[in-house]
Amino acid sequence: LGGWTDFVLFFVLMWLGQITRYILHVAIAGCTAGWYFQLREPRPVFFSMLRACTTSIGSITFGSLMMTVAKFCRVIAGFLRNQARVDAQACAAICIVMHCIIGQVKLYGCGCVAIYGWAVTDASRKAMRMINSEGIKVGLYMLHSVLPFSLAIA
């Protein structure tokens, strides 16, 4: 097709992949929470998937959209990493760091969506508070996952 249509179709494909991923994540987190809190539902996997596909679908799609934007920036960063210009490489490093931070917040936020049924913005805000209180773990994650990419760019 060519032009902007390819970018739009690629973005939609990435978004649908993220929606599928987060529906499964929310369903598994809801089922695990039901087991942990001993809720004794007759069919926990079915009802957890039903909640993920009905009442939590808006939060899942919005969170997936945010994650898709971050992943799309990461794809652009991969393209910019191959450029010889220093400003393009700096932009690529910023995109990679942004992707890792948003990814962690959205992953914990979707877990809170599954367990408590909160909206994704509230769940991500509360997940960010949790990450801030456990800052050393996030710092170690960033050193482990982002530093090798940043060194490869430089």
Side-chain angles (χ1 to χ4, degrees), residues 35-115:
W35 166 79
Y36 182 79
F37 294 117
Q38 299 175 355
L39 294 179
R40 305 285 184 229
E41 291 179 327
R43 296 184 303 186
V45 176
F46 174 75
F47 286 113
S48 180
M49 188 64 118
L50 185 68
R51 278 191 305 272
C53 291
T54 56
T55 58
S56 298
I57 196 71
S59 296
I60 290 171
T61 54
F62 182 66
S64 297
L65 179 66
M66 295 303 207
M67 195 60 213
T68 303
V69 168
K71 280 190 180 274
F72 200 72
C73 287
R74 181 129 185 200
V75 169
I76 292 171
F79 172 74
L80 292 176
R81 192 171 39 193
N82 295 332
Q83 304 295 320
R85 297 188 338 230
V86 175
D87 57 341
Q89 292 179 352
C91 179
I94 291 170
C95 289
I96 289 172
V97 169
M98 183 185 77
H99 171 261
C100 291
I101 291 171
I102 290 175
Q104 286 299 102
V105 171
K106 291 299 172 195
L107 193 64
Y108 289 130
C110 281
C112 292
V113 166
I115 295 169

Side-chain angles (χ1 to χ4, degrees), residues 127-150:
M128 191 64 190
R129 282 191 207 130
M130 180 182 69
I131 290 171
N132 285 337
S133 68
E134 301 289 330
I136 189 71
K137 293 178 186 175
V138 175
L140 291 175
Y141 170 78
M142 294 296 284
L143 282 176
H144 176 69
S145 65
V146 174
L147 192 59
F149 289 118
S150 299

Side-chain angles (χ1 to χ4, degrees), residues 111-128:
C112 292
V113 166
I115 295 169
Y116 303 111
W118 296 333
V120 72
T121 52
D122 295 334
S124 296
R125 188 177 310 116
K126 291 177 183 180
M128 191 64 190

